[in-house]
C-alpha cells in the first residue's frame, strides 16, 4: 500500500503525516507538490493540516483549485482512501468531496488541546480497529473547526453512518452536534479536525491516532493484498 | 471596464460568532438598542469587459465558483461602469 501526502504552500503537518506512515505502518510514502496532477501510483492520499494559501478567502478555498486536487477527486472516485486532517478536511469540504462547510470556532479563539472523541462508526476503512462507541483522545489545533451543515444533510449523514467521530463531553468549537469527522457516502473519504498523526506514541500525550492509520492499512491490504 | 462591488455575508440561518461578539461589545459600550450584528466581506473586482450584461454573468459565475461558499454564504453585487 503506497501513500501520498500532497503539499500545498502553507501546509505544515505534511512531514508528520509521512512519518506516521513510515513509522507506524512501515509502508512507502511520498510528499507530492500541489502542482503535480498525477496520483496514479498511490492507494491512499493524506491531505495534511496547515494553512494552505494562508487561509486566504476561506480556509481550503484556494487549495481546491490546484492540480493535485483534480487527482485527489479522481482517486476518491476510484475508491482509493482519502484522509483529510484539519486543513485537509477544510479543503475536502471546499472541494465538495465532503458535504457541509467550516466556520470560525464559536468562541473565536484558536484552540490547541487534547480532546476526547467518541467513535461513532467503526465499520469504516479508517476506524475498523476502534470499538464502536469507544472514547479516544486526539489533539486538536484550529481556529476554524466549527463544522456546519443544514438539517437535511445532517439527517442523511446520521442515517448513512457518515459521522465517524464526535467530541465526547466538551465541544471545543461549536460544530453541529459535536461532529469532529465525517465521511462521504461511500466511506472512502474521511475528513476530521483532530490530528491522528500527532498522536502515535504515548510520549505525545496519546497514541490513539496510530490505530486510524493501522485501520486503513488493514482495510486496504485485506482487500488488495500487501503489494 | 466595469467595477463590481461584491458583498458576501453568512446566510441568516448560519450563526455568526464574530457578529455576536461585536454585538456584546456594543452592548457593553452602552448601545443597548443593537439587536443584531452580522459581519461579512466586501470585494472589489475590476473587469476588462465592454458589456454590462457579460460583466454581470461573469461576476455571478465567480461568486458561485469561488468567491462565496453557497453552503453558508450568500452574495450580492453591483456594477459600475468605468470606475
Amino acid at each position: 500500500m503506497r501513500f501520498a501526502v500532497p503539499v500545498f504552500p502553507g501546509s505544515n503537518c505534511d512531514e508528520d503525516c509521512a512519518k506516521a506512515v513510515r513509522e507506524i505502518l512501515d509502508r512507502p510514502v511520498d510528499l507530492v507538490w500541489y502542482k503535480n496532477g498525477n496520483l496514479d501510483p498511490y492507494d491512499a492520499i493524506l491531505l495534511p493540516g496547515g494553512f494552505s494559501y494562508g487561509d486566504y478567502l476561506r480556509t481550503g478555498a484556494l487549495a481546491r483549485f490546484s492540480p493535485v486536487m483534480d487527482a485527489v477527486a479522481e482517486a476518491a472516485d476510484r475508491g482509493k482512501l482519502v484522509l483529510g486532517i484539519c486543513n485537509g478536511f477544510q479543503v475536502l469540504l471546499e472541494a465538495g468531496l465532503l458535504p457541509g462547510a467550516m466556520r470560525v470556532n464559536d468562541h473565536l479563539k484558536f484552540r490547541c488541546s487534547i480532546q476526547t472523541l467518541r467513535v461513532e462508526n467503526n465499520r469504516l476503512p479508517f476506524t475498523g480497529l476502534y470499538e464502536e462507541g469507544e472514547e479516544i483522545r486526539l489533539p486538536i489545533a484550529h481556529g476554524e473547526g466549527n463544522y456546519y451543515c443544514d438539517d437535511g444533510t445532517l439527517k442523511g449523514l446520521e442515517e448513512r453512518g457518515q459521522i465517524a467521530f464526535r467530541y465526547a463531553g466538551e465541544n471545543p468549537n461549536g460544530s453541529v452536534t459535536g461532529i469532529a469527522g465525517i465521511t462521504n457516502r461511500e466511506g472512502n473519504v474521511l475528513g476530521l479536525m483532530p490530528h491522528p498523526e500527532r498522536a502515535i506514541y504515548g510520549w505525545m500525550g496519546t497514541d490513539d491516532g496510530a490505530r486510524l492509520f493501522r485501520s486503513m492499512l488493514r482495510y486496504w491490504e485485506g482487500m488488495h493484498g500487501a503489494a | 471596464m466595469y467595477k463590481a462591488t461584491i458583498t458576501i455575508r453568512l446566510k441568516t440561518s448560519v450563526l455568526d460568532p464574530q457578529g455576536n461578539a461585536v454585538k456584546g461589545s456594543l452592548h457593553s459600550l452602552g448601545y443597548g438598542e443593537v439587536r443584531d450584528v452580522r459581519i461579512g466581506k466586501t470585494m472589489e473586482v475590476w473587469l476588462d469587459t465592454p458589456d454590462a450584461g457579460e460583466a454581470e454573468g461573469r461576476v455571478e459565475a465567480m461568486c458561485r465558483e469561488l468567491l462565496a461558499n453557497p453552503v453558508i454564504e450568500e452574495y450580492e453585487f453591483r456594477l459600475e461602469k468605468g470606475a
Side-chain angles (χ1 to χ4, degrees), chain A residues 114-120 126-127 129-139 164-168 180 192 194-196 199 205-212:
Chain A
I114 292 184
Q115 296 295 136
T116 304
L117 310 181
R118 191 172 54 247
V119 179
E120 299 282 13
F126 307 90
T127 57
L129 293 172
Y130 297 108
E131 300 297 323
E132 177 111 25
E134 182 182 348
E135 294 198 350
I136 61 171
R137 293 169 67 246
L138 290 180
F165 302 103
R166 276 195 170 98
Y167 300 106
L192 79 169
H195 287 270
T206 159
D207 62 358
D208 285 340
R211 271 185 289 161
L212 195 150

Side-chain angles (χ1 to χ4, degrees), chain A residues 11-82:
Chain A
S11 296
N12 63 14
C13 301
D14 40 329
E15 286 290 352
D16 307 56
C17 284
K19 226 177 157 92
V21 172
R22 271 185 226 116
E23 298 191 10
I24 299 300
L25 304 183
D26 192 22
R27 289 295 181 280
V29 55
D30 291 322
L31 300 182
V32 178
W33 191 231
Y34 73 109
K35 288 185 173 168
N36 184 340
N38 179 13
L39 293 173
D40 288 345
Y42 304 102
D43 306 307
I45 321 295
L46 310 181
L47 289 168
F51 300 85
S52 58
Y53 292 85
D55 278 352
Y56 295 161
L57 190 62
R58 296 178 305 275
T59 55
L62 300 182
R64 163 193 156 201
F65 293 101
S66 46
V68 79
M69 282 309 296
D70 290 332
V72 170
E74 193 191 320
D77 204 40
R78 287 166 58 183
K80 295 180 177 183
L81 298 185
V82 177

Side-chain angles (χ1 to χ4, degrees), chain A residues 11 186 223:
Chain A
S11 296
E186 294 74 17
M223 291 218 315

Side-chain angles (χ1 to χ4, degrees), chain A residues 57-58 61-62 64-65 93-94 100-108 146 148-150, chain B residues 8 10-11 13-18 21 41 43 64-69 71-73:
Chain A
L57 190 62
R58 296 178 305 275
L62 300 182
R64 163 193 156 201
F65 293 101
L93 291 170
E94 282 284 342
M102 213 54 93
R103 298 169 299 182
V104 180
N105 290 352
D106 60 355
H107 48 71
L108 301 176
N146 183 353
Y148 171 84
C149 64
D150 61 34
Chain B
I8 294 169
L10 285 172
K11 287 180 180 172
S13 55
V14 177
L15 274 178
D16 178 3
Q18 296 185 76
K41 27 187 171 185
M43 296 175 201
R64 260 186 286 122
E65 214 176 320
L66 173 64
L67 302 181
N69 181 336
V71 178
I72 48 171
E73 295 173 328

